[in-house]
Amino acid sequence: MHVAESGSGSPLLWVHGFPLSSELFRRQFAIDGVRHIAPDLPGFGRTPAAPWSSVEAAAAMLREELTQRGVSRCVVGGVSMGGYIALALARTAPELVRALILIDTKETADTEEVRQRRMAQIERIEREQSVTFLVDEMLPKMLSPRSLREDEELTTFTRRMMSSTSPAGAISALTAMAGRPDSSDVLRSFPGAVLLLVGGDDPITPPGEAERMKNLSTHGELHVIPGAAHLANLERGDDCNQAIADFLQRLPE
Ligand code: MLT
């Protein structure tokens, strides 16, 4: 697995969303006093494809990567699909997860309608052997209309990152997301602190989802990031980093 590492200090595992890669966290690597560990899941970014079909399987692969790096406990941060996997880690390896940073994500399982849509996407990827249609469909939801209009560097960067997803990687992730369980119980019983960040204009996981998650978690803290769509941590890196650095500083040992 390709793993981007940066900084030194307390370990923080970053889990990317779909169809994205570890480059999603380029702004977060600026947070000091942290050993940032950001893997590319199989079939994404620079990690070659290898079949995986559940969020639990992804969590097990990440746990293995952490073990190889001598990390037995860390903060886990995830964006969207990365949040689903972070919650799977909290369910399957609770001793590993010191605290959670959940960005533009939700704890619920797919509805039947979303599951059907994912199955249709898998069929189309198989037919076309390409994820270009997904990139075209999803890019307008990843960034706000303003960034898409005015920030060419960010838009090109995001499109390129999305396009680095292989057809096999996308099929694995869609299968895993469609089959993921509801994680309300995990959130409710998680003993550590939970930081929730959400773009104020996120059309995929709107602020209402994050509010519900905050109400479920015992030690939840929510920041709605104005002017951001689905990739709040990328689009409004400074605002998110401030909330993340502040959260990390307050964490008990
Ligand atoms: C993501 O950004 O990871 C995806 O939009 C999540 C999803 O499709 O549920």
Side-chain angles (χ1 to χ4, degrees), residues 17-18 20 79-81 84 118 138 142 177 204 230:
F18 173 86
L20 299 153
V79 173
S80 203
M81 176 182 75
Y84 311 156
R118 297 205 202 275
M138 292 184 76
M142 296 292 188
M177 288 193 286
I204 298 181
H230 191 50

